[in-house]
Amino acid sequence: MLFLLSFAAPPPPSRFDRRVSVCAEAYNPDDEEEDTDPRVIHPKTDEQRCRLQESCKDILLFKSLDQEQLSEVLDAMFEKIVKVDEHVIDQGDDGDNFYVIERGTYNILVTKDDQTRTVGQYDNRGSFGELALMYNTPRAATIVATSEGALWGLDRSTFRRIIVKNNARKRKTFETFIESVPLLKSLEVSERMKIVDVIAERDFKDGERIITQGEKADSFYIIESGEVRILIKSKTKADKDDGNQEVEIARCHKGQYFGELALVTNKPRAASAYAVGNVKCLVMDVLAFERLLGPCMDIMKRNISHYQEQLVKMFGSSMDLADPGQ
């Protein structure tokens, strides 16, 4: 089996302050049949609305919302300007807001055994702060601005009422499928459920290109239904054939995954992937991949040797894997 390749009336002012003692508040998204909290609306200019929509267009947590839900979320979001060295959230605090980055760079800091280290960065894109709101747990990391920047915040109440409730429905839809994916069997049940919370479902039509060889990788894909062709432009065949000709090297089916190698090796996509017929994929962005699939990393790294063997068998060389063709 080949798993290939290249491979989230205006409120009172206190809403902006850090909240305290919220983790004791149990929240069951199935408790309420109808939303009872007043709708939060922060008025925005047309220019602000455009910037907000641009910042949120790739946030996976928003992908499964219907248009009415998304409009309510965008109405509730507020702009926050940050300064260099400002702490947006602090490890151990209770969760108050979810944040989407419009611009700026930010370090992710984790303190353990009195030692603080940088475990990642955000560079002018992405989102953070969702885990404390989803699971009623303290902030797991500190986020510090390393440049001036701008964020869009979503208050805890709106986040839970719309995002968490929607994710509860999504869990029921995808729970059985996620449990059946071989790669994820090494994860604890709670870890698999967190994956459900951060994935989005995407549909592709017959012949549609899902990933492109040579491009920077930002997502990981699990096939929910359908079939995907993996093709590569081989540098080793370029002397004999048209260098732009793509050669099919594998097909992936339901439960299999692709797009992981570029995330594991931090290199450009080493192959392209195309839908065969109608295809549904579950998609996870790179930051969620790193955070949630750490326990699976050894399995994925072992597959790299399999990829090399297959390329050598087909092309006589594995240079396409070491140095993906553009």
Side-chain angles (χ1 to χ4, degrees):
M1 183 178 293
L2 178 66
F3 300 136
L4 235 64
L5 260 178
S6 121
F7 359 72
S14 60
R15 183 177 298 280
F16 297 94
D17 299 330
R18 298 198 191 282
R19 292 174 55 109
V20 294
S21 301
V22 298
C23 288
E25 300 175 19
Y27 179 70
N28 183 348
D30 295 324
D31 280 349
E32 297 176 278
E33 289 299 320
E34 297 182 1
D35 297 330
T36 57
D37 289 345
R39 180 168 175 172
V40 176
I41 299 177
H42 288 283
K44 300 172 183 68
T45 65
D46 290 343
E47 186 267 342
Q48 284 180 309
R49 189 82 177 188
C50 287
R51 288 192 285 111
L52 173 58
Q53 289 175 329
E54 180 66 22
S55 299
C56 292
K57 68 178 184 180
D58 294 321
I59 301 301
L60 287 179
L61 278 174
F62 296 167
K63 293 286 189 182
S64 59
L65 301 179
D66 61 34
Q67 191 56 51
E68 183 178 351
Q69 290 170 323
L70 180 59
S71 293
E72 187 169 346
V73 165
L74 296 181
D75 285 345
M77 297 185 79
F78 58 89
E79 189 172 16
K80 176 181 174 65
I81 305 300
V82 296
K83 300 177 180 178
V84 178
D85 295 329
E86 180 175 346
H87 286 219
V88 183
I89 63 176
D90 283 298
Q91 183 176 342
D93 280 1
D94 291 329
D96 49 5
N97 301 307
F98 168 68
Y99 293 100
V100 173
I101 297 169
E102 178 183 333
R103 56 183 170 84
T105 54
Y106 306 82
N107 277 345
I108 308 168
L109 307 176
V110 172
T111 300
K112 186 176 181 181
D113 300 327
D114 296 325
Q115 297 290 321
T116 300
R117 62 189 182 96
T118 301
V119 298
Q121 293 85 29
Y122 295 98
D123 186 0
N124 288 288
R125 62 184 296 270
S127 60
F128 56 86
E130 76 279 8
L131 295 181
L133 305 186
M134 285 178 169
Y135 307 116
N136 273 353
T137 55
R139 297 293 197 189
T142 296
I143 306 294
V144 180
T146 55
S147 72
E148 292 185 351
L151 304 167
W152 291 97
L154 179 65
D155 67 276
R156 179 174 177 271
S157 176
T158 302
F159 182 93
R160 296 206 303 178
R161 182 166 50 84
I162 298 178
I163 307 295
V164 175
K165 198 165 187 175
N166 187 67
N167 270 11
R169 299 189 189 102
K170 191 168 69 170
R171 275 192 186 192
K172 293 176 182 177
T173 302
F174 297 131
E175 186 172 5
T176 301
F177 174 73
I178 287 293
E179 288 176 350
S180 73
V181 176
L183 173 71
L184 307 180
K185 289 190 180 296
S186 62
L187 299 178
E188 300 290 339
V189 173
S190 61
E191 292 174 318
R192 288 200 294 267
M193 289 306 94
K194 287 181 180 179
I195 287 174
V196 175
D197 287 336
V198 299
I199 57 175
E201 187 178 49
R202 289 190 58 189
D203 295 317
F204 300 94
K205 297 179 180 179
D206 183 37
E208 186 174 352
R209 186 162 55 191
I210 303 171
I211 62 175
T212 302
Q213 181 174 345
E215 286 188 349
K216 183 179 179 180
D218 58 2
S219 299
F220 165 76
Y221 299 81
I222 301 173
I223 301 173
E224 184 185 357
S225 65
E227 185 179 27
V228 173
R229 302 170 66 208
I230 307 296
L231 291 91
I232 190 170
K233 297 177 185 175
S234 172
K235 287 188 173 182
T236 54
K237 289 180 70 73
D239 293 338
K240 302 176 182 178
D241 304 313
D242 179 0
N244 291 319
Q245 180 182 355
E246 291 184 315
V247 179
E248 181 175 330
I249 59 173
R251 294 213 176 193
C252 298
H253 304 86
K254 179 178 179 179
Q256 294 182 295
Y257 59 90
F258 61 95
E260 87 287 1
L261 188 58
L263 302 182
V264 172
T265 62
N266 196 30
K267 292 180 178 179
R269 297 288 193 194
S272 297
Y274 296 86
V276 179
N278 293 327
V279 173
K280 285 184 181 291
C281 287
L282 302 183
V283 187
M284 179 186 301
D285 69 27
V286 61
L287 294 171
F289 175 90
E290 293 172 347
R291 186 174 70 228
L292 297 177
L293 289 187
C296 301
M297 203 64 73
D298 286 342
I299 297 174
M300 288 183 280
K301 286 180 178 177
R302 285 200 298 271
N303 282 336
I304 294 177
S305 63
H306 299 162
Y307 303 152
Q308 291 172 327
E309 292 170 4
Q310 289 154 354
L311 289 173
V312 170
K313 184 176 180 180
M314 295 189 72
F315 302 126
S317 170
S318 63
M319 66 177 291
D320 298 280
L321 181 59
D323 184 16
Q326 299 296 324

